[in-house]
Amino acid sequence: MNLKPYSRLLWFGLAIAFSSLISIISPSPSPVDAAASAIIQPPLSTNRSKIVDANGRSVLLRGVNWFGIETEMHAPHGLWKRDYKEMLAQLKGLGYNMIRLPYSVQSLRASDVTGIDFSIGSNKELEGKSPLEVMDAVIQEAQRQGLLILLDSHRLNDQRIPELWYGDGFTEADWIDTWKMLATRYKNQANVIGADLKNEPHGRASWGTNNKETDWRLAAERAGDAILSINRNWLIVVEGVEKNVPGQKLAVHWMGGNLEGVERFPVRLSRPNKLVYSPHEYGPGVFDQPWFSESRFPNNLTSRWETAWNYIATKGIAPVLIGEFGGRQVDKNSKEGVWQRKLVDFISQKNLSFAYWSWNPNSTDTGGILQDDWLSVDAPKQEILQGLLRANSFAQSSASTPISSQPPSSQPSSSRPPSSQPSSSQPSPRPVVINPAPNSQSSVSVPTTGRGQLKVASNMQSDWQSGFCMSMQVTNPSNTSVRDWQVTFQMNQAAINNSWNGNFKPQGSNYVVTPLDWGQVIEPGQSREIGFCANKLGSDYQPRQISVSLR
């Protein structure tokens, strides 16, 4: 999607996961039923409608989009507010296992970044780095925390999404050369799993027309094989078009959402078991498409999705990964809320992979998982996604080779336009997920205390019949830095099954929580968030006597 910083017309262009993520460096046992947990062993491949890891185990990629590198800032958004390592830890703690990371060809050839506060925690490590080196740092930290990365060629220049894979001052060779550079650079980076070749082909883009200038299917074959000639391990992710597909049944599609041509005109790669198709799907909050007003809505949606793209998985042609979907409304009454819940149910029923749009809150027509403070989670959104999230991390069979320092290819020879802002094998067992039903007791504040220089506030984010999730925010209101802090609390009839941003150690009915290494220092005015989810073992489950102190 085009970052959703504006409303566009016909051309469109989770509560918490309840399983423990497994560290890629030092795996530890999970208190959750092992059937709900999976260690992903890269590289990934495909087997009919499934994405599988190196051991042949079915994998569900359940991620978010974190945009910004493809904009004029040349860096993931939100780093003016948050430590990038802290942001990644929160994302992982919510249960996602993948980030779809957009970039532009222009940004990766630039030398400057903006929009980063280098005084915030680990962000100081990014000072003086180029956009490509900032991408390196994010990818390396994601690997340390057990997060997979899908690279996304979102734009050519920094301003807009072009119709085709060339234009805006860049050639097809520029586009493919950038992919070849990235395939070389991250060839030995275990958590970089693939290439989403081009974001949302639309307008003149066609499929199956055999017109070399517009046939996206042919261009995807050229780029995909160029990547695979360098890096045989990557998945090649191919989005749809908007229109111009011979014999298409549906008159209107979202940009990138029309994959009707795949059955007659499949993408042909040198390594067919690396191909994944990826539609984008949105609701009326992005644009009120005609099908949202049909009398059969929302029961007309399933047949639309099956016709447009899911038949690919149903017929075992290839896996489907929904590269973008999202919206502000998730209630049961609004059209957007009804649409979004229907799609989440469809994803669950069909065992599809996805990347939610977006992690960022500054996507105007969809909002994000994070709220405008770049810290708080949009609980209603997270609650509808939580049943899709599983404890999936990946394991490295060996240490990764350092990232190649090969620079990007030279700037395109053509001048750029002025900046403008546009508007049949045995199927794998069904994955086991934990799908609680939150009740109206979420977001209940729990009294807490502070000691010395620090203060702690806690919030019951979700509370359902068999469990709950709580976050705690430790703030330094003083004018000096604080190091080596800990939080303590008492909890009787509950057992923690997932935690984030801290080491939770039980001592009888008491718990002592110490921060991860990157969170040990809290600067003046800064806050650190820790949290956990737990199974209820009785009625006396609520944490009490929560306090913070220095060690």
Side-chain angles (χ1 to χ4, degrees), residues 57-235:
R57 177 163 180 165
S58 179
V59 169
L60 290 177
L61 301 174
R62 299 288 171 82
V64 295
N65 288 268
W66 186 10
F67 65 75
I69 296 177
E70 79 285 18
T71 71
E72 292 174 338
M73 289 187 175
H74 297 164
H77 284 182
L79 302 188
W80 57 80
K81 183 75 172 179
R82 297 279 303 278
D83 177 326
Y84 81 100
K85 292 182 179 179
E86 180 182 284
M87 192 103 75
L88 288 168
Q90 184 185 22
L91 190 157
K92 182 190 77 170
L94 291 172
Y96 300 97
N97 64 13
M98 181 190 72
I99 299 171
R100 181 173 178 260
L101 193 61
Y103 72 85
S104 69
V105 173
Q106 181 176 352
S107 69
L108 297 190
R109 298 180 176 193
S111 59
D112 62 305
V113 298
T114 59
I116 301 177
D117 185 342
F118 300 114
S119 70
I120 299 175
S122 300
N123 287 356
K124 60 180 177 292
E125 301 170 5
L126 305 178
E127 192 165 11
K129 292 187 182 295
S130 69
L132 187 57
E133 290 168 334
V134 169
M135 178 184 277
D136 290 345
V138 170
I139 288 173
Q140 288 170 332
E141 179 60 21
Q143 175 169 289
R144 191 183 75 82
Q145 298 205 30
L147 289 164
L148 303 171
I149 299 289
L150 174 64
L151 296 175
D152 158 40
S153 183
H154 208 80
R155 298 173 170 181
L156 295 173
N157 64 22
D158 295 337
Q159 286 78 46
R160 70 186 189 104
I161 298 172
E163 292 183 341
L164 304 172
W165 54 97
Y166 60 90
D168 289 350
F170 294 85
T171 66
E172 177 178 305
D174 295 324
W175 169 63
I176 292 179
D177 285 347
T178 301
W179 272 125
K180 290 166 69 176
M181 178 273 293
L182 292 171
T184 301
R185 191 176 189 89
Y186 300 127
K187 185 174 183 179
N188 297 305
Q189 191 75 27
N191 65 323
V192 181
I193 59 168
D196 190 336
L197 295 180
K198 190 252 181 288
N199 185 65
E200 295 178 354
H202 62 280
R204 291 182 296 144
S206 62
W207 190 294
T209 61
N210 287 320
N211 180 340
K212 186 177 180 180
E213 293 184 355
T214 64
D215 194 328
W216 165 234
R217 169 238 197 177
L218 300 181
E221 292 173 349
R222 294 191 293 272
D225 281 344
I227 292 169
L228 292 172
S229 69
I230 296 169
N231 189 336
R232 293 168 55 85
N233 289 333
W234 275 9
L235 296 176

Side-chain angles (χ1 to χ4, degrees), residues 343-379:
L343 183 55
V344 167
D345 288 344
F346 188 82
I347 291 170
S348 178
Q349 293 163 10
K350 303 297 182 180
N351 279 338
L352 301 178
S353 294
F354 70 83
Y356 192 78
W357 190 277
S358 60
W359 178 244
N360 309 47
N362 59 327
S363 174
T364 303
D365 49 5
T366 68
I369 297 297
L370 293 182
Q371 300 194 65
D372 289 343
D373 62 0
W374 283 92
L375 178 66
S376 306
V377 172
D378 186 322

Side-chain angles (χ1 to χ4, degrees), residues 425-498:
S425 62
Q426 187 71 20
S428 302
R430 181 176 177 85
V432 177
V433 297
I434 301 172
N435 189 9
N439 62 25
S440 59
Q441 298 301 313
S442 61
S443 299
V444 175
S445 296
V446 177
T448 56
T449 63
R451 291 183 184 173
Q453 293 175 295
L454 299 177
K455 293 185 177 180
V456 59
S458 61
N459 185 59
M460 187 74 76
Q461 293 183 327
S462 298
D463 190 356
W464 64 100
Q465 184 175 4
S466 60
F468 65 96
C469 293
M470 171 173 282
S471 66
M472 303 175 186
Q473 185 164 300
V474 180
T475 303
N476 178 9
S478 72
N479 56 9
T480 59
S481 298
V482 173
R483 177 184 294 273
D484 295 334
W485 53 275
Q486 66 181 21
V487 170
T488 59
F489 62 95
Q490 181 181 347
M491 187 168 66
N492 294 327
Q493 294 180 315
I496 292 176
N497 60 40
N498 180 36

Side-chain angles (χ1 to χ4, degrees), residues 216-334:
W216 165 234
R217 169 238 197 177
L218 300 181
E221 292 173 349
R222 294 191 293 272
D225 281 344
I227 292 169
L228 292 172
S229 69
I230 296 169
N231 189 336
R232 293 168 55 85
N233 289 333
W234 275 9
L235 296 176
I236 302 300
V237 178
V238 181
E239 298 181 28
V241 293
E242 179 188 14
K243 51 189 177 181
N244 306 320
V245 178
Q248 70 178 65
K249 300 174 183 177
L250 301 175
V252 181
H253 289 267
W254 293 112
M255 296 195 312
N258 184 353
L259 285 162
E260 289 195 49
V262 167
E263 187 166 22
R264 291 179 59 196
F265 310 104
V267 172
R268 301 153 298 181
L269 295 178
S270 58
R271 302 197 73 200
N273 69 333
K274 293 295 181 179
L275 176 62
V276 175
Y277 291 102
S278 183
H280 290 184
E281 191 70 29
Y282 283 97
V286 172
F287 183 75
D288 196 5
Q289 298 279 19
W291 56 86
F292 298 123
S293 298
E294 292 177 2
S295 61
R296 293 184 59 248
F297 176 84
N299 295 327
N300 59 339
L301 296 176
T302 300
S303 61
R304 274 198 63 88
W305 297 332
E306 197 67 31
T307 299
W309 41 265
N310 196 59
Y311 75 91
I312 296 168
T314 300
K315 296 186 176 183
I317 298 171
V320 167
L321 184 160
I322 302 177
E324 293 182 18
F325 81 96
R328 291 189 176 274
Q329 304 300 320
V330 296
D331 61 282
K332 297 180 180 180
N333 299 314
S334 69

